[in-house]
Structure formats: C-alpha cells, structure tokens
Amino acid sequence: MNTVLIKNAKIVNEGRIFEGDVLIEGEFIKEIAESISHKSSSCKVIDAEGNYLIPGAIDDQVHFREPGLTHKGTIASESRAAVAGGITSFIEQPNTVPNAVTQELLEDKYQIASQTSYANYSFMMGGTNDNLEEVLKTNPKNVAGIKLFLGSSTGNMLVDNPETLEKIFSSTKMLIAVHCEDEATIKANLEKYKEEYGEDIPVTAHHLIRSEEACYLSSSKAIALAKKTGARLHVFHLSTAKEMELFTNKIPLEEKMITAEVCVHHLWFTNEDYKTKGNFIKWNPAVKTAEDKDALWKALLNDTIDVIATDHAPHTLEEKSQKYLNAPSGGPLVQHAVVALFEAFHQGKISVEKIVEKMCHNPAKIFKIENRGFIKEGFYADLVIVDPAKPWSVSKDNILYKCGWSPFEGTNFKSRISHTFVNGQLVYENAKVKEIKAGKRLLFDR
C-alpha cells in the first residue's frame, strides 16, 4: 500500500492553520496529528516545514474541450495543467462538440476521463430548449449538476424559451448552474458598435457590449425563477458590482438555495488591461471596471460570493490573434489560479484560510461532493503543498496548457505549488507532472 508521511506542515482546514503531520495510506488520509512517527521503511517522508498544506482545489467550472475541440485542449492536457496548479478535481461544462445534451453523450465524456484524467472529474449535463426528458434522467449521485447557458454559447445551448426554463427549474432537484447574460441586450449593444466601427470594433469595447446591464438582467431573472420554483441555483462567473445585491450573506452556506461564484480573472484584471492584453483577456462575461472588481472582492470576503473558480477555456494563439469580432472568448487558467490567489494573500487582500474556504471547502459543500475538499481523516488524500516563498515567473517554457499561452505570461508569483496528491498518489513534484492518471469520478452525497 502507498504510504506517505507529510511532516511539519502548516495545515489549513476549516478556518484555522495548525502545524502538524498528515499520514496518507492508499487513497485516504489515515491520520492527522501534531507529530506522527515513521510507520514503515517503505513510507515516503516529505518535510513541508514552512509550507502550507491545503486540500486540493475543486474547480467547479472548466472547459477542457474534449470531445470535438481537441486542437484547443484535451482532458489529459488540461487536467495535467490543473494538478500542476494545485487543482485536484474539476467539473467540466457541456459545450463540447457534440454538446453533452443526452445521457449517452454525457457518459462518453466520463469514459474518456476514466482513461486519461490526472485529476478527479465530473461533467455537467447540458440543458437546451428541447431536451427536458434527457435532463431529467440525470443521476444526482454521479453527475455534478445541470448547466444552462442563458447567453449564447457553442451549438444549440442557448436556453431562451421561458416555458422550457420554468419546466427545468421546477422539475429537477439537482443543482442548476447558469451562465447569465441577456442575449437581446448584447445584440443591441453590438449593433451600436458596428455602426460606429464597422468590423473593426476595438476589444476595449467588450465590457460595454457584454455590459453590466446584460449580466444583471439575466441573473436577476434566473434568481427570480429559482425563488418562484424552489430550484437549487448556482450562478457562475459573476462580474459586476450591481449583481451583488441579488445575493445574501445573511444565512450559512448550507442553507443557501442560491449560491454565487467568481472567477480568478474577474478578481485580477480590469477593462484597463484590454489595452495591453487585448483578446487574451476576452472572456464572457467580460472583465469589467475597477469598481466592479473591488465590489467582487468585497462580496467574496463577506461571503456574499461563495466560490472561486477559473472558467478555464483555452483557445489557440491563432484563434485569439484574430480581430475582436472573430476572436473567441475564454482563456486558460487552471495552472495559475491557486498561486494567483496566494499572490492576493501576499498583497494582504485575502487570508490563506479564506482561499481554502472558497476554492476547496465550499465547492465540496455546494455540490455535496463525497469525502473531498477538506483535510480530514478518512477523506480522500487530495492534498497540495504550497511554498509561499519560492518566487517564479510564468513563461512559455513552463506553461502546460495545450494552447501554449497564458494571460499571466510575464507575471511574477511569490508562491509555488511544490507537491500535489490525487487520491493519495503523488502526481506532481519538483515542477514535473508524473505520468500517473490518478483521477476518479466524483460522487455526490445526494
């Protein structure tokens, strides 16, 4: 049996940091104590003195591009980058090709991941205007939830029929995750800018086309519908100050029927960065103003926002280098999300305990993931050691995404992921991912 002893770590769990040791046996955390002695000669010992030991991050929103878009990324390539970045579990979205909108197509993705994923995995079932019957067949025990795009996406995934929406919301007890942007508002804004600029709209207009109003209109409608039907709603990648009034921090997370997520890029970049980063920070919803970013940070820290994710969505350099109107939205983030949050810790914006709450504990609670997201005896040994004092800089030669670029290129980080364990197996060490595809299908306690 695989046995690893992590010694002298600053263990971060459930709002506290304490120095101690963690013993891993097989796939699980066997013991947590102030001091644990070597159990056997075959036990691998790692001295983590001065370093943080955190639960593996759980990214509740990624696009790994397989099947159908594998020139951008694959489950293997992007999960490999994820474990290098301290993300040990991911929930992938249905807008692959073909869209995962039948049980058979959904299961195809699980089959690919079972053979190729370095990290633990789950895949969202996609809702459309006409697949309610398929949506209702989804197994709540082994599928993370239902994903609805209330703004345009790949293929036939825009759900804009009010009757269909209400049926989905009122018919399933599963978590419904939504992308909220109002399509009519975006189209009207786009026409206005086309009249002014023709086909040469500058990327600096992106946050004005996919505007605050487009986000607020859509998210407020989704929340009103959730309240009307009693649906369990999770709103992805919030980007505006205005939307914060739609959510509450007055009740514990476990009692919330409507939860909120923010992504790393909306906490890091502002519209001022379009001038230098261009299409490389073109996301939907758009990166918005400094005032919006500040409001998102405030809402994150006061628990109005519950989760930090990435919305990892790689595109090739060639695709991103096109004119604004042709360049796709999205960017790769899983390798750099955790260290970006640790950078915010160094800047005094957030505590390590709060990072762990938002990236590890809360995704596990919201999705009711079985035995992950915490450092507890009997839980799976999804663990990450973070060295807070090992500076490095992001460059082409250390980026692991298949697309080969990052919006963080040239950024200097003070912290580094030194070790990542997935199900007790050491999959990342000394800046190298080991060829161990240790990922398992996530299961849910519902």
Side-chain angles (χ1 to χ4, degrees):
M1 186 184 284
N2 174 53
T3 310
V4 181
L5 179 59
I6 302 169
K7 301 234 9 124
N8 308 312
K10 293 178 182 173
I11 301 167
V12 190
N13 194 61
E14 295 184 289
R16 56 189 282 258
I17 299 174
F18 56 98
E19 298 226 353
D21 300 351
V22 173
L23 179 67
I24 299 167
E25 277 190 6
E27 296 177 342
F28 300 100
I29 297 168
K30 174 73 172 174
E31 188 181 351
I32 303 163
E34 197 174 308
S35 181
I36 301 171
S37 57
H38 295 204
K39 296 288 179 178
S40 72
S41 57
S42 62
C43 177
K44 180 180 174 75
V45 180
I46 297 170
D47 187 353
E49 190 164 3
N51 296 343
Y52 294 99
L53 180 67
I54 67 171
I58 300 169
D59 193 341
D60 77 356
Q61 188 191 180
V62 303
H63 303 265
F64 281 179
R65 305 305 193 195
E66 190 171 10
L69 299 164
T70 52
H71 65 288
K72 301 174 193 275
T74 64
I75 290 168
S77 68
E78 307 314 284
S79 67
R80 198 166 172 272
V83 298
I87 291 169
T88 58
S89 298
F90 64 84
I91 298 173
E92 211 258 0
Q93 304 308 302
N95 55 333
T96 36
V97 180
N99 299 155
V101 294
T102 70
Q103 294 301 320
E104 188 180 3
L105 290 168
L106 180 64
E107 199 53 42
D108 286 347
K109 293 172 78 167
Y110 281 103
Q111 288 306 312
I112 297 166
S114 70
Q115 294 165 37
T116 65
S117 187
Y118 291 80
N120 304 310
Y121 51 87
S122 191
F123 297 90
M124 286 274 196
M125 174 65 181
T128 72
N129 281 329
D130 48 23
N131 77 334
L132 179 63
E133 201 173 300
E134 284 292 313
V135 165
L136 295 180
K137 292 178 189 171
T138 308
N139 184 348
K141 288 293 291 178
N142 64 8
V143 177
I146 312 301
K147 172 69 179 287
L148 303 179
F149 288 90
L150 309 184
S152 59
S153 181
T154 309
N156 177 38
M157 295 216 66
L158 173 62
V159 185
D160 57 0
N161 182 320
E163 282 181 29
T164 302
L165 265 179
E166 184 152 349
K167 274 184 188 165
I168 294 172
F169 271 62
S170 56
S171 302
T172 180
K173 292 293 176 201
M174 287 191 73
L175 178 146
I176 300 168
V178 286
H179 173 139
C180 289
E181 290 183 285
D182 183 67
E183 195 66 12
T185 302
I186 293 165
K187 282 181 176 168
N189 290 340
L190 183 58
E191 285 311 308
K192 188 177 87 174
Y193 279 89
K194 276 186 174 175
E195 281 174 27
E196 186 176 348
Y197 292 100
E199 295 298 303
D200 290 321
I201 299 171
V203 68
T204 50
H206 187 55
H207 72 294
L208 303 171
I209 293 167
R210 302 191 83 95
S211 62
E212 173 193 79
E213 193 58 26
C215 294
Y216 183 83
L217 260 176
S218 183
S219 47
S220 58
K221 280 181 189 170
I223 287 164
L225 187 56
K227 287 178 176 175
K228 177 183 175 183
T229 58
R232 174 67 187 87
L233 182 68
H234 185 52
V235 185
F236 276 158
H237 46 41
L238 290 153
S239 63
T240 72
K242 191 173 182 182
E243 288 169 291
M244 296 306 98
E245 70 191 49
L246 299 169
F247 300 90
T248 185
N249 60 1
K250 304 293 187 225
I251 56 174
L253 178 62
E254 289 80 358
E255 293 174 27
K256 287 186 182 183
M257 287 297 285
I258 298 166
T259 48
E261 175 211 273
V262 68
C263 289
V264 173
H265 45 284
H266 292 122
L267 295 171
W268 188 279
F269 299 105
T270 74
N271 64 299
E272 290 298 316
D273 295 307
Y274 289 123
K275 292 168 192 166
T276 54
K277 296 281 185 181
N279 291 331
F280 295 106
I281 62 161
K282 183 187 177 191
W283 278 279
N284 298 340
V287 166
K288 296 190 174 66
T289 67
E291 291 75 21
D292 289 307
K293 185 176 95 164
D294 290 346
L296 293 171
W297 270 108
K298 183 180 176 184
L300 179 74
L301 296 172
N302 73 18
D303 298 334
T304 301
I305 291 177
D306 306 294
V307 170
I308 302 169
T310 68
D311 193 17
H312 174 92
H315 299 285
T316 66
L317 267 171
E318 187 181 15
E319 289 166 334
K320 276 293 199 179
S321 300
Q322 297 175 95
K323 285 184 178 181
Y324 165 72
L325 279 176
N326 297 325
S329 293
L333 279 167
V334 288
Q335 189 182 346
H336 304 107
V338 173
V339 290
L341 265 294
F342 268 81
E343 200 62 24
F345 157 68
H346 286 296
Q347 293 163 3
K349 285 184 181 173
I350 190 169
S351 68
V352 175
E353 298 96 312
K354 190 61 90 173
I355 293 170
V356 166
E357 178 189 315
K358 303 295 183 180
M359 298 189 89
C360 313
H361 299 341
N362 286 2
K365 287 180 179 180
I366 283 171
F367 287 88
K368 301 186 188 303
I369 300 170
E370 286 187 357
N371 298 329
R372 300 189 192 274
F374 294 84
I375 302 178
K376 290 182 178 179
E377 291 175 2
F379 271 51
Y380 286 101
D382 297 338
L383 298 166
V384 174
I385 300 174
V386 183
D387 186 336
K390 198 163 187 184
W392 64 293
S393 113
V394 181
S395 63
K396 286 259 188 263
D397 60 2
N398 57 32
I399 289 169
L400 297 180
Y401 312 126
K402 186 172 183 180
C403 66
W405 65 274
S406 164
F408 286 116
E409 258 171 81
T411 303
N412 298 310
F413 289 122
K414 291 186 175 69
S415 303
R416 189 186 294 232
I417 307 298
S418 68
H419 300 74
T420 302
F421 294 85
V422 177
N423 297 309
Q425 298 204 57
L426 182 56
V427 297
Y428 178 78
E429 183 182 25
N430 298 326
K432 285 194 170 55
V433 181
K434 301 185 178 191
E435 291 307 311
I436 305 169
K437 296 179 177 74
K440 286 177 168 290
R441 184 170 182 160
L442 296 175
L443 297 176
F444 304 91
D445 187 16
R446 30 166 136 105

